Amino acid sequence: MTFSGTEIEMDITTIIWTLFKTVAAVSVLMLHVAYVVYFERKVIGHMQARLGPMRVGWHGLLQPIADGLKLFFKEDIIPSQADKPIFYIAPIIGMIAVLSSLAVIPLWEGFSIANLNIGILYILALSSVGAYSIILAGWASNSKYSFLGGLRSSAQVISYEISMGLSLVGVMMLAGSANLSDIVRAQSGHWFLWSQPVACLIFVLSAIAETNRAPFDLPEAESELVAGYFTEYSGMRFGLFFMAEYAGMFIMSALGSICFLGGWNGPDFGIFANVPKVIWLLLKVYGCIFFYFWIRATLPRYRYDQLMNLGWKLFIPLALANVVVTGLIKILWK
Amino acid sequence: MTIQQAFFSYFAGAIVALSLLVVTRKNPVHSVLWMLLLFVHIASLYLFLNAEFLAAIQIIIYAGAILVLFLFVIMLLNLRKEETEKRFQGQWPFGLAIGVVLAVFVVLIVGKIGVLPELGQYSVEAVKSEGHIMTVGKVLYTEFLLPFEIASVILLVAIVGAVVLAKRSLE
């Protein structure tokens, strides 16, 4: 049997280099995730005229580490009628899906673990795989609160994935590529935020719904569902869901910064030219994450039918119209 | 055996094994999960054929949308009790018979294929030079415009039908 056209470069140095990049990127991301949680508690604390964590370390700086240790040593409780194998793997699926998305995020010129031509589609595919973790966790727990959370999440994630995908179509059309590095290069002089404002708005709100964050956090609405899909989870399995949510926010913010805010591009004059490009990307990512927290501290939770109406009756038609208008303008200006 | 062949053998073998797991599980939710793994393996096979766009679409459409709907339906039906009842397990000899007949036909037909057709204009190099998405898009909107539009209209009819049915039960 011959394989015409399959070229897999099985060079041993390439493999080791890729593995090294993967380990480095994942460990740096996990550290960021720990401190994104601290950042959130501080931001929301100050927005509500509190101080946030203050006790562990200087201004509570060691709080994430204390929290992590606590989660590691807690007992892992499994409900008696739970579907054990699925209960075990559900949080792992979520974590894998989020961490794999990191592979295509270009951190600076020429650095991404895998420079795929279908980068955007790859992230969309993985975010749909991530939905399984929530649905399965809800089902396997054998608890009505978990189950309701899982059902809500599956409907929500599927609906908002459509509008998110459609909002990114405009970006792909302008850049002429679905490769994230090419999209950043296409924005070297001019961010897509200015030429795709509608798409940007739809993307931001869909990303909030996609990551199950307030005000669209109905799958875990604590006022009605205890904790939603992870009600029955405890210890490190709960920790995995928690980290997957924050890592998901990080990935979505990175995708938003790359598609709409110019990615690693920054000001090129004076002392700014010497700043490493990754700093610009991280600044934009943290700006987006701050926006997530700001919205959470400001807006009350949506009702479920309002959320569905917003997604299907406003965002999807608007995103479709945006695709048509972008296509028309691109043809007419040629 | 080269590395490519080793990978291909793994994926081909795993696809067969996973398909068997899908049809033999008693719990439909477990079946769906094995099917998810099956779809990921099929997507990997597409990657081996340098069809990265197809691989992504396979995951987005099948794993991300269709399979989630399967899961949705199975969960809402709560099959935990019914799966143990005898009348839901009696069809396997019939299914096995159909499967065996199909397999015999496939083997016979594959044995008859002697000459492979000439390669068309979409060689690996041609696709690589302009990218998968552009190639698929161009073909879809020129050569296959009519079938593409017909498929869209059929899907639209299905959507309208679903809305009509849902509205009727509301009134």
Side-chain angles (χ1 to χ4, degrees), chain A residues 121-172:
Chain A
L121 294 175
Y122 175 84
I123 289 188
L124 288 177
L126 281 172
S127 78
S128 55
V129 171
Y132 279 93
S133 106
I134 294 175
I135 305 170
L136 292 172
W139 180 80
S141 303
N142 194 30
S143 140
K144 55 187 170 226
Y145 298 119
S146 305
F147 190 54
L148 284 172
L151 285 182
R152 280 184 178 186
S153 167
S154 49
Q156 174 178 334
V157 170
I158 295 174
S159 313
Y160 278 86
E161 204 156 77
I162 303 172
S163 54
M164 192 166 86
L166 285 174
S167 71
L168 291 177
V169 170
V171 172
M172 287 192 248

Side-chain angles (χ1 to χ4, degrees), chain A residues 5-6 83 117 132 139 154 158, chain B residues 30 48 50 52 63 67 72 75:
Chain A
T6 31
D83 190 314
N117 285 327
Y132 279 93
W139 180 80
S154 49
I158 295 174
Chain B
H30 292 177
F48 265 85
N50 276 333
E52 48 191 29
L67 213 53
F72 215 67
M75 284 176 175

Side-chain angles (χ1 to χ4, degrees), chain A residues 12 34 48 56 68-70 79 86 89 92 107 110 129 145 148 190 218 231 248 276-277 323 329:
Chain A
I12 194 78
Q48 296 168 345
V56 191
L69 281 177
K70 186 192 78 174
I86 296 186
I89 59 165
I92 300 172
L107 294 177
V129 171
Y145 298 119
L148 284 172
H190 168 83
L218 290 138
T231 305
K277 296 287 188 194
V323 171
I329 291 176

Side-chain angles (χ1 to χ4, degrees), chain A residues 34-43 53 58-61 63-64:
Chain A
Y35 277 89
V36 165
V37 179
Y38 171 77
F39 182 41
E40 167 163 40
R41 293 176 66 177
K42 276 289 184 199
V43 167
W58 184 77
H59 279 253
L61 261 180
Q63 186 70 44

Side-chain angles (χ1 to χ4, degrees), chain A residues 1-8 10 81-83 85-86 89 93 116-118 121-122 124-126 128-129 131-132 135-136 138-140 142 147 150-152 154-155 158 161 172 176-178, chain B residues 2-5 7-8 27 29-30 32-33 36 40 47-50 52-53 55-57 59-60 62-69 71-72 74-76 78 80 124-125 128 131-134:
Chain A
M1 193 172 266
T2 56
F3 296 88
S4 57
T6 31
E7 310 150 21
I8 308 156
M10 282 293 170
Q81 291 290 307
D83 190 314
I86 296 186
I89 59 165
I93 294 179
L116 292 188
N117 285 327
I118 49 159
L121 294 175
Y122 175 84
L124 288 177
L126 281 172
S128 55
V129 171
Y132 279 93
I135 305 170
L136 292 172
W139 180 80
N142 194 30
F147 190 54
L151 285 182
R152 280 184 178 186
S154 49
I158 295 174
E161 204 156 77
M172 287 192 248
S177 167
Chain B
T2 62
I3 289 174
Q4 279 96 335
Q5 280 172 332
F7 270 91
F8 179 79
N27 189 333
V29 175
H30 292 177
V32 168
L33 269 188
L36 172 65
V40 174
L47 281 182
F48 265 85
L49 298 168
N50 276 333
E52 48 191 29
F53 178 64
I57 291 299
I59 300 283
I60 294 175
Y62 281 95
I66 294 178
L67 213 53
V68 173
L69 289 181
L71 210 55
F72 215 67
I74 290 169
M75 284 176 175
L76 287 175
N78 192 16
R80 280 188 180 181
V124 175
E125 287 72 31
K128 250 190 189 157
H132 287 85
I133 302 177
M134 195 174 268

Side-chain angles (χ1 to χ4, degrees), chain A residues 174-194:
Chain A
L174 283 188
S177 167
N179 184 322
L180 291 173
S181 303
D182 289 348
I183 289 174
V184 175
R185 274 181 219 119
Q187 297 175 80
S188 54
H190 168 83
W191 291 1
F192 284 160
L193 171 65
W194 310 122

